[in-house]
Amino acid sequence: MGKVIAIDGPAGAGKSTISRLLARKLGYRYLDTGAMYRAITYLALEQGIDIHDTEEIVQLSRNIDLNITPPDENNVSHVFINGRDVTDRLRTKEVDLNVSTVAKNRAVRELMTEMQRNIARSGNIILDGRDIGTRVLPDADFKFFITASLEERARRRWKELKDKGLEVSLAEIEKEIAERDLEDSTREIAPLVKAEDAILIDTSHLSIPEVLDKLLSYIKDEEND
Ligand code: CDP
């Protein structure tokens, strides 16, 4: 049976970058569960559906044909909704501002959790998100909780957007991330919390290769036991 690795943490901690690199290193598949909530949010906004209309959002989630490809040579996973590549449209400000509302929806979470478990079933996979180690896959072989200070996470997201040519204020990003974290951490269903048995990694002062080495050292230690 292949191994399953759960990586959770708040926005901008670097989960997806690390997960992609780790997946490549181990030859594992990678599933960005945030992209699933983002895809539903994007489609709802596009169709003019009220994000707070629980029933409509559930209906949309039931009918969506969601397909996420493994990372390509540029380390990018492509997200297809009903056969359409929407990858570049999922990390916009509009989606950022609305995704936590969609992610609070109990029925949507049930549908997504079931899909995520099915995808993970055959193992050799890394899943990143908010509730992987606590709810989706509590029996995962490895659980990491990756975080960093709010200032550092905001700075990273700001740089990411800046590199894409977008002019945004650092203060505004910090505020938006803090609000989303609060919403994700305090929601009733599957809130963002560290699983008791997850390994905490604070990446505030670590480079990407350093974080990757840290994760790999835990994985190798365990395998050598
Ligand atoms: O990349 P970033 O950390 O900013 O966000 P993401 O991982 O793409 O997740 C976007 C949003 O989806 C989060 O703020 C959560 O509200 C929601 N989410 C969730 O509820 N459960 C997950 N397993 C993954 C994401």
Side-chain angles (χ1 to χ4, degrees):
M1 213 14 214
K3 293 248 161 45
V4 171
I5 301 177
I7 300 188
D8 291 302
K15 297 181 302 290
S16 59
T17 306
I18 293 300
S19 300
R20 284 196 185 99
L21 292 170
L22 189 61
R24 179 156 296 181
K25 195 100 188 167
L26 298 172
Y28 280 20
R29 292 175 294 144
Y30 162 57
L31 180 63
D32 172 1
T33 64
M36 299 169 80
Y37 294 97
R38 285 177 181 274
I40 295 168
T41 307
Y42 169 73
L43 195 61
L45 292 169
E46 189 187 50
Q47 295 189 356
I49 293 173
D50 176 3
I51 234 69
H52 295 94
D53 187 332
T54 315
E55 271 314 304
E56 286 264 8
I57 296 287
V58 173
Q59 203 54 38
L60 186 82
S61 318
R62 280 212 184 95
N63 296 328
I64 197 171
D65 171 16
L66 202 57
N67 186 11
I68 306 181
T69 65
D72 64 16
E73 64 283 1
N74 297 318
N75 225 0
V76 177
S77 299
H78 287 256
V79 180
F80 288 83
I81 300 177
N82 304 328
R84 181 163 58 112
D85 189 343
V86 295
T87 315
D88 292 339
R89 303 177 188 190
L90 300 183
R91 302 195 74 88
T92 61
K93 193 170 173 196
E94 228 196 339
V95 173
D96 275 358
L97 291 176
N98 289 286
V99 64
S100 290
T101 305
V102 170
K104 267 197 290 202
N105 186 311
R106 183 182 295 275
V108 170
R109 293 209 76 83
E110 279 167 10
L111 283 166
M112 293 304 117
T113 300
E114 197 188 320
M115 275 173 76
Q116 290 157 14
R117 286 183 183 144
N118 278 336
I119 295 171
R121 185 154 296 147
S122 50
N124 285 348
I125 189 166
I126 299 171
L127 285 87
D128 85 349
R130 301 290 187 283
D131 60 338
I132 309 302
T134 51
R135 295 296 176 107
V136 180
L137 301 163
D139 297 329
D141 298 282
F142 296 98
K143 295 184 189 180
F144 296 101
F145 192 87
I146 298 193
T147 188
S149 67
L150 174 62
E151 295 73 30
E152 177 59 20
R153 291 187 285 117
R155 200 192 58 77
R156 289 177 190 168
R157 185 54 52 90
W158 173 77
K159 190 174 173 301
E160 187 184 325
L161 293 171
K162 210 170 166 254
D163 288 348
K164 279 190 197 163
L166 298 168
E167 265 318 314
V168 277
S169 111
L170 181 59
E172 200 179 310
I173 293 192
E174 191 170 314
K175 184 166 164 281
E176 187 271 309
I177 286 188
E179 279 170 5
R180 189 146 57 91
D181 283 350
L182 183 71
E183 206 168 339
D184 288 343
S185 314
T186 54
R187 71 182 172 216
E188 208 177 307
I189 319 145
L192 165 68
V193 282
K194 179 186 159 303
E196 257 177 43
D197 53 350
I199 296 161
L200 176 71
I201 297 181
D202 185 338
T203 71
S204 303
H205 305 290
L206 296 177
S207 66
I208 292 167
E210 284 170 337
V211 179
L212 190 62
D213 278 351
K214 231 178 193 336
L215 263 64
L216 281 167
S217 70
Y218 281 109
I219 293 167
K220 288 203 183 108
D221 271 1
E222 187 84 8
E223 282 176 346
N224 291 335
D225 268 355

